[in-house]
Amino acid sequence: MKNIVVLGAGTAGTMAANMLTKEKVFENWTITVVDKNNDHEYQPGFLFVPFGMMPAKRITKSRRKFLPKRAAFVQEDVVAIDRDAQVVVLESGERLPYDQLIIATGTVPRPDLVPGMEDGSLWYDKVFDFYTLKGAEGLKAELKELKRGRLVVNVCEMPIKCPVAPLEFALLAQDYLRKRGRGFDVDVVFVTPLDGAFTKPVASEALGHLLAERGIEVVTDFQIESIDNERAELVSYDGRRVHFDLLATVPPNHGSKVAADSGLADEAGFIEVNKHTLQAVADPNVWCAGDATNVPTSKAGSVAHFEMDALVPNLVAAVQDLPLTHSFDGHANCFIESGRGEALLLDFNYDQEPLPGRFPIYGVPALRLLGPSYLNHASKMGFELVYWNMLLPGRPLPFSADMKMDGKIVPEDAR
């Protein structure tokens, strides 16, 4: 009997396992999913915890509950991938043979890479991440006590998981403070290594205007060198300093150690794949999806979902020695919570940056693109149900995996 091993039971790995078990060609294959624990975290919820918009106890559920019954689930760390022997080595020393391997090990926050961050006296006192449940809960407590001063939201470097989340945090924080009468006493500052609010020009301009309207200061081109804990300041390589009374930071994001050590990854530990087929560049028996890839699009749950519509049929073709015919176009869509009960929606791919207009649901132009609306906010809050009940099980969503131009408004100078 042949074997597929899936490394990681997060968003991408869980979807992959569910979709593979529905394929007839794999009826007689063994499918094994490996992860170090049984805690599946709803990561979009981390953003809401500091502002009391979602209770922490709702974030985590059993990984096993969302994996197909036919798949074996191994709870153990993976320490190595022996590609010559086509074997995954577990921490216990057990060796899992594979014929096809899917790497879905995501990203790992690395606060240890910034001097003065994880090893500083202010870590988890006045300096927090919010991509972990511990950090999000810590920020919730500190925000309650922040009466005046400077709340700084900082991105250390790109790429990061969910690149719009820091913008959302800044906007939600401004709204949170405004509602509590502290809008004039606490300055919200957004510090980014980019030259604008976002990576794409049209979206960057729109989001920059929104931040300015809300009175949020933006510090651009800030390449962080260290954190000065004595003075509570971010320090950049060009000598600039930004003082904070409370810091919500996004540490460098790198690939997992096992991915980085696989011989398949770039210098940041992300697996180098064909960006259209999701097959590893250096090994045709290895595939990768979700945040663990080096594809030049957002690291987001929506991307993992859209990738599966190419990866799974391509894997089915590969094991039958057929051509790979499905192509992932880099499609990403991201809601951006803007506070005041509204959110924006971005929709883009490798070739098309976010544009204004309407995003179609079942072919109907329903959701406003690149502009705030209540319906976008309601959709983001409702996404939690979609995530657990449709996305993870690999059920079809009411729009195409490929990005469509329907409803988008193209600027005249780009036509």
Side-chain angles (χ1 to χ4, degrees):
M1 180 174 284
K2 293 189 174 182
N3 303 297
I4 297 178
V5 173
V6 181
L7 301 186
T11 306
T14 302
M15 279 192 291
N18 279 304
M19 294 175 73
L20 291 171
T21 55
K22 297 171 186 172
E23 296 292 338
K24 187 174 177 61
V25 70
F26 295 125
E27 277 183 350
N28 295 317
W29 287 54
T30 295
I31 298 175
T32 303
V33 183
V34 185
D35 209 308
K36 61 184 177 184
N37 60 44
N38 191 32
D39 296 334
H40 188 122
E41 294 173 321
Y42 177 62
Q43 297 187 50
F46 291 159
L47 176 70
F48 299 131
V49 170
F51 308 107
M53 297 169 66
M54 184 175 289
K57 65 182 180 182
R58 212 164 81 198
I59 298 288
T60 307
K61 298 187 179 183
S62 162
R63 295 189 194 275
R64 176 71 265 186
K65 179 180 178 182
F66 296 95
L67 291 170
K69 292 180 180 176
R70 194 171 85 70
F73 179 42
V74 176
Q75 289 182 53
E76 196 167 341
D77 259 333
V78 176
V79 295
I81 299 169
D82 182 343
R83 290 197 293 117
D84 291 334
Q86 294 203 176
V87 162
V88 169
V89 183
L90 303 181
E91 191 173 30
S92 63
E94 184 181 354
R95 297 166 67 85
L96 295 179
Y98 67 81
D99 295 281
Q100 299 291 326
L101 177 68
I102 298 177
I103 299 176
T105 48
T107 67
V108 180
R110 295 289 306 275
D112 58 303
L113 296 180
V114 179
M117 186 174 281
E118 189 178 48
D119 59 353
S121 59
L122 297 181
W123 182 239
Y124 281 4
D125 180 23
K126 297 298 178 188
V127 177
F128 297 85
D129 58 347
F130 60 93
Y131 281 32
T132 64
L133 189 53
K134 182 180 179 183
E137 289 184 293
L139 276 167
K140 181 180 181 181
E142 290 300 316
L143 277 170
K144 281 184 179 177
E145 302 302 321
L146 185 66
K147 306 300 183 187
R148 58 183 58 82
R150 288 164 64 88
L151 167 61
V152 173
V153 183
N154 159 243
V155 179
C156 288
E157 65 179 33
M158 302 297 281
I160 59 170
K161 181 179 351 190
C162 193
V164 299
L167 287 165
E168 295 181 280
F169 191 95
L171 290 162
L172 287 173
Q174 191 277 335
D175 193 36
Y176 174 95
L177 295 164
R178 178 185 66 87
K179 289 175 179 174
R180 286 155 182 78
R182 290 180 256 158
F184 293 106
D185 297 319
V186 180
D187 294 326
V188 180
V189 183
F190 184 72
V191 181
T192 172
L194 302 175
D195 60 3
F198 194 59
T199 55
K200 311 287 185 179
V202 174
S204 182
E205 183 177 356
L207 292 165
H209 283 309
L210 183 59
L211 292 169
E213 286 174 5
R214 302 289 171 82
I216 298 171
E217 179 188 352
V218 180
V219 179
T220 59
D221 297 311
F222 193 95
Q223 313 297 331
I224 188 169
E225 185 270 333
S226 64
I227 295 177
D228 181 336
N229 283 258
E230 287 190 11
R231 300 173 65 175
E233 291 178 341
L234 297 174
V235 183
S236 70
Y237 280 104
D238 59 9
R240 286 179 290 164
R241 288 174 171 262
V242 175
H243 173 72
F244 60 84
D245 294 282
L246 178 61
L247 175 63
T249 187
V250 181
N253 279 204
H254 283 205
S256 67
K257 185 175 186 309
V258 70
D261 294 343
S262 67
L264 300 169
D266 62 18
E267 60 183 15
F270 298 118
I271 302 295
E272 294 180 313
V273 297
N274 179 309
K275 69 177 186 179
H276 295 298
T277 66
L278 287 316
Q279 191 175 38
V281 171
D283 191 332
N285 295 321
V286 179
W287 307 75
C288 185
D291 296 348
T293 76
N294 74 331
V295 296
T297 189
S298 283
K299 295 186 179 300
S302 66
V303 171
H305 168 72
F306 298 138
E307 286 175 341
M308 285 303 150
D309 277 21
L311 188 154
V312 172
N314 283 337
L315 177 52
V316 168
V319 300
Q320 299 176 95
D321 294 324
L322 298 172
L324 310 186
T325 57
H326 286 65
S327 178
F328 173 58
D329 68 353
H331 191 191
N333 53 33
C334 311
F335 287 108
I336 303 178
E337 278 293 316
S338 54
R340 310 186 187 200
E342 295 182 323
L344 297 85
L345 176 61
L346 306 184
D347 190 56
F348 55 98
N349 67 8
Y350 291 140
D351 302 317
Q352 180 59 63
E353 67 171 308
L355 293 173
R358 294 279 173 177
F359 182 79
I361 302 291
Y362 290 119
V364 176
L367 300 176
R368 186 181 180 190
L369 290 167
L370 211 50
S373 79
Y374 169 75
L375 188 55
N376 285 342
H377 165 69
S379 299
K380 172 132 187 175
M381 301 308 291
F383 179 70
E384 183 185 3
L385 286 174
V386 174
Y387 181 84
W388 295 117
N389 297 294
M390 295 180 69
L391 194 132
L392 287 186
R395 298 191 174 104
L397 299 181
F399 43 83
S400 169
D402 297 328
M403 197 207 74
K404 302 296 183 186
M405 291 300 291
D406 302 349
K408 292 184 172 60
I409 300 172
V410 181
E412 287 189 9
D413 59 359
R415 292 176 183 169

